Amino acid sequence: ETVQLISDVTLAEPLNIEAAGKTITLDLNEKTLSGRTNLKGGELTIQKGTVAGGAAQALNVYGSDDASATNYSVLTIADDVTVTADEFGVVLFGKTAQTNGYGAVININGTVETTGTGAEGAVFVSGNLGKNVSGDMNNVINITGSVTSQTDAAVALNGNATVNISEGAAVTGNTAIAIKRGSLNVTGGTITATGEKNYPGTANYNGTEMTGAAVSMSSTYNQYGAMAVNISGGTFVSTNADALYKAEGTYANDATFAVSGGEFSSIVPAAFCADGYICETSQNAEGRYTIVQGAYVAVVDDGVGYTTFSEAFAALEAGSTLLLVNSTSLTEDLTAASSFTLNFDGNTLTRGEYTITLANGVTVTTDTQVADYDELFIPADATYMVVENASGANYTYTVVTKV
């Protein structure tokens, strides 16, 4: 069934489409439909024109209360459609705005844009989805078009849904994508954040934080529901913050990044890289960092991983921690001018013929006792010596004057 506009239409009240089992095409015919449309079952394709939501949501999609439902409500925004609103462009709800819902699908091939200051997402997934339900709820959003918020998040994934972003997509916002529950899969496209860096000490648990990151993960008000960000391609750019960010806080379930591809405006932390992949520490010709296959040897306290012990050691500052994540060997003599922590975490550092020279007064703290420490750690001044002390579960190696 196809419905075609013959003139611009302004809805006096929300348009409710309850068409379970039916397929409807709304041909805007280069006209504008102003107001709110609610899809509560059935398949709706919108083509050839503009949907203007005004002060509120333009398009709401509701799921089923049947946990086995798939394709219950399917909204497709064709590539020749622009959806605009002040606050929310496209919203995914449960069976109602306050309950869980299953089997909703949103395909965004066109443009969705919000321009107001009170929005939390041009594409918004209700935090009530999955607030007390784990597992797949068959809610899916596929984005190949353009999603933009001029002041807030372009995509606010607050509830249990899977968002897939692929080649050709352009997602831009203060924070481009904010995730508090559900899964995000990116295989291509450009993800851009333009907001100021604003990292909360902990997640506020109440709505989406604007962090300025291209992808920002934080916990929900009840810390419920797993989160997974899987990135195998795409370009991620933040003007003022990190490309990828995870807030501190309580995560009752898994909350993981697995990055195996893509280009990034900042170094991807080692903990975010998928198994068998690392982030290059040098920029490519476009000034971005890329992901390649490999294994880290060590991680320094800022989360950056390194493929050699020497590179990690060179990144140490006073008070830094160097964590071995794989066993390795010294390949050159090294010198430490300030104190640091060396955590072996069950791995081995083979000295060979090389040493680490410590300046006067330097202390090295380790998580395990170092065999033949006086051969590994050498005082810079021959009138000094290195002494070992047990300190709780740790050991310290300090340069002191010879007695």
Side-chain angles (χ1 to χ4, degrees):
E1 182 178 350
T2 298
V3 177
Q4 185 181 70
L5 298 189
I6 58 175
S7 63
D8 294 339
V9 173
T10 299
L11 299 171
E13 59 185 24
L15 172 62
N16 293 311
I17 299 175
E18 300 180 54
K22 297 182 179 180
T23 299
I24 299 172
T25 297
L26 176 56
D27 183 353
L28 299 174
N29 192 27
E30 311 301 333
K31 305 300 189 293
T32 298
L33 174 64
S34 299
R36 180 187 300 180
T37 299
N38 299 320
L39 178 61
K40 300 182 176 182
E43 296 188 20
L44 173 65
T45 297
I46 304 175
Q47 63 185 30
K48 300 179 183 178
T50 300
V51 177
Q57 302 101 314
L59 298 166
N60 292 334
V61 179
Y62 292 82
S64 170
D65 56 3
D66 179 359
S68 65
T70 59
N71 298 321
Y72 173 77
S73 294
V74 180
L75 171 67
T76 298
I77 299 170
D79 58 8
D80 53 6
V81 171
T82 296
V83 178
T84 66
D86 290 345
E87 295 192 356
F88 299 94
V90 180
V91 179
L92 173 59
F93 286 120
K95 181 64 175 179
T96 71
Q98 302 300 321
T99 62
N100 283 307
Y102 305 84
V105 178
I106 300 172
N107 302 307
I108 300 174
N109 305 318
T111 298
V112 178
E113 181 179 22
T114 56
T115 58
T117 59
E120 286 190 4
V123 174
F124 182 88
V125 179
S126 170
N128 287 315
L129 282 172
K131 63 182 179 180
N132 54 9
V133 175
S134 59
D136 191 354
M137 299 177 69
N138 299 321
N139 297 311
V140 180
I141 300 175
N142 301 307
I143 301 174
T144 61
S146 172
V147 177
T148 302
S149 174
Q150 294 186 8
T151 58
D152 295 279
V155 177
L157 180 50
N158 291 341
N160 190 330
T162 297
V163 174
N164 301 311
I165 298 176
S166 54
E167 194 64 36
V171 180
T172 305
N174 177 305
T175 298
I177 303 171
I179 176 172
K180 283 179 168 288
R181 192 181 286 135
S183 299
L184 171 66
N185 303 310
V186 184
T187 58
T190 302
I191 318 299
T192 306
T194 59
E196 295 299 319
K197 180 178 179 179
N198 181 30
Y199 291 171
T202 58
N204 67 23
Y205 305 136
N206 184 26
T208 304
E209 303 92 349
M210 294 301 103
T211 65
V215 178
S216 179
M217 176 186 287
S218 60
S219 191
T220 61
Y221 69 96
N222 63 353
Q223 300 102 50
Y224 194 87
M227 286 176 273
V229 175
N230 304 299
I231 298 172
S232 59
T235 299
F236 298 77
V237 176
S238 171
T239 305
N240 302 302
D242 294 306
L244 307 180
Y245 168 72
K246 181 179 179 180
E248 298 178 5
T250 300
Y251 296 87
N253 302 96
D254 290 340
T256 60
F257 282 84
V259 183
S260 58
E263 298 186 0
F264 304 83
S265 60
S266 61
I267 293 177
V268 176
F272 291 1
C273 293
D275 290 343
Y277 291 87
I278 63 174
C279 181
E280 297 271 41
T281 55
S282 57
Q283 296 170 312
N284 63 13
E286 289 74 35
R288 296 190 282 267
Y289 299 91
T290 57
I291 304 297
V292 297
Q293 289 184 310
Y296 289 117
V297 163
V299 175
V300 177
D301 47 16
D302 58 3
V304 177
Y306 298 90
T307 56
T308 70
F309 187 86
S310 293
E311 288 178 322
F313 194 87
L316 291 176
E317 298 178 352
S320 288
T321 296
L322 188 157
L323 170 67
L324 287 182
V325 295
N326 281 299
S327 295
T328 189
S329 301
L330 289 181
T331 58
E332 60 180 326
D333 291 324
L334 302 170
T335 299
S338 55
S339 299
F340 66 95
T341 297
L342 174 58
N343 286 335
F344 290 85
D345 197 29
N347 296 294
T348 300
L349 176 63
T350 301
R351 182 179 71 83
E353 62 187 73
Y354 302 105
T355 62
I356 300 175
T357 299
L358 306 180
N360 295 347
V362 166
T363 295
V364 180
T365 302
T366 67
D367 61 347
T368 189
Q369 189 172 21
V370 178
D372 300 323
Y373 69 87
D374 54 351
E375 295 181 7
L376 174 63
F377 300 126
I378 304 298
D381 188 331
T383 64
Y384 285 71
M385 60 186 295
V386 176
V387 297
E388 176 188 75
N389 286 290
S391 177
N394 298 322
Y395 290 82
T396 62
Y397 299 90
T398 304
V399 178
V400 300
T401 305
K402 287 183 178 179
V403 178

